[in-house]
Amino acid sequence: SFAHAADGIKILSKGEKKKMFYHFDSQEERRMAGGSAFVEMQFCTMPHGTNIEEIVSVDNIDHWRDDSLYIADESTFFVEYGRVFDGGVYHNLESGPVDVYGINYYAPSVVEEIIGRLLAENPEPDEMLLSWLEEAIEYNGFYILGL
């Protein structure tokens, strides 16, 4: 509900640590909480075995899904999680560290590596993130879609 997203905003106004990851139940809720000011982590719903060029094609990306995980602060995300989310494939088929301004695709095998790095760096990871990543393995991986 929007109250959940609004709680994160209230926490920030009280000077406490800002919540990093959000899930919204509807696009209206997302718009009320900040609109398009989020980096989106989105499940790849293309079938396993799909050609990588198709997977990272801009024409095949559909933004703002309800089952996505949203990142509220791309700068803090890059600092805190940049090493964890290494190895994504970009639109130009290059690979490297997370690009918070472009398309990053992570195959299911890479998702397992990400979970391993996440647990190695933080024995008590964000449960919302960990649960979402475990679900991404069942899909054809996931995307981080930048601003």
Side-chain angles (χ1 to χ4, degrees), residues 47 55 81 83 98 107 112 119 121 144:
I55 290 174
Y81 291 93
R83 293 179 309 279
V98 65
E112 292 175 3
L119 293 172
E121 290 207 11
I144 293 180

Side-chain angles (χ1 to χ4, degrees), residues 22-101:
Y22 292 85
H23 178 267
F24 301 110
D25 293 325
S26 70
Q27 293 310 304
E28 180 61 25
E29 183 181 327
R30 179 188 52 81
R31 283 188 286 276
M32 291 175 65
S36 62
F38 296 97
V39 171
E40 180 180 8
M41 294 178 68
Q42 181 183 106
F43 296 126
C44 177
T45 58
M46 293 185 178
H48 291 269
T50 300
N51 185 306
I52 190 67
E53 288 89 358
E54 286 184 60
I55 290 174
V56 296
S57 171
V58 173
D59 294 336
N60 292 327
I61 303 294
D62 181 29
H63 290 273
W64 314 122
R65 293 190 182 161
D66 288 342
D67 60 356
S68 291
L69 196 61
Y70 293 94
I71 302 165
D73 181 348
E74 76 279 356
S75 297
T76 302
F77 173 79
F78 186 76
V79 169
E80 292 186 14
Y81 291 93
R83 293 179 309 279
V84 171
F85 287 92
D86 192 32
V89 177
Y90 310 137
H91 172 67
N92 66 3
L93 303 179
E94 297 286 322
S95 182
V98 65
D99 175 4
V100 295
Y101 298 104

